[in-house]
Amino acid sequence: MATLDDLRRTAVSLPGSEERATTGGAAWFVRSKLYAWECHPWPSIPADMRAIIAAELVVGVKVADPIDALALVEMELDVFLRTTTPWGEPKVAFRMAGITVDHLAELVTEAWRVQAPRYLRRELDESGR
């Protein structure tokens, strides 16, 4: 099971990444673009998803396109949530209890890549990651 500390370790290793405290919890940005966040049970979230988010740690990440989000949800229905809010698409939310540390690192790094400018992606690639 992955934790927020595991997410922090991955995020801090990504060029230009910064963590900010938000009203909904921790969030990670690259060049002021959100790429990962701790989900909060906002009233705008469907009731069934809100109940899950209120009961356990759920994290959201940006994805390249809606097909990627749908594929993740379809592959692991018990881990990935079908939807949270319509804003900020494409994205996917997942239960941290169902994610391994390696899978979390992959999801966070790919979310960072979606939002990072080309020069930072190149910097990461040149570092061998």
Side-chain angles (χ1 to χ4, degrees), residues 23-94:
T23 55
W28 291 266
F29 296 80
V30 59
R31 302 292 295 158
S32 298
K33 291 184 174 182
L34 179 67
Y35 71 90
W37 59 93
E38 184 178 359
C39 293
H40 185 75
W42 300 110
S44 59
I45 296 173
D48 57 337
M49 297 294 108
R50 191 170 55 246
I52 292 168
I53 293 168
E56 60 187 280
L57 179 57
V58 174
V59 167
V61 294
K62 295 293 278 186
V63 293
D65 62 54
I67 301 298
D68 291 344
L70 183 60
L72 287 167
V73 171
E74 292 295 320
M75 286 179 358
E76 294 188 68
L77 291 169
D78 58 332
V79 175
F80 291 91
L81 305 183
R82 64 175 167 71
T83 187
T84 53
T85 61
W87 61 267
E89 297 291 353
K91 65 183 178 204
V92 67
F94 52 89

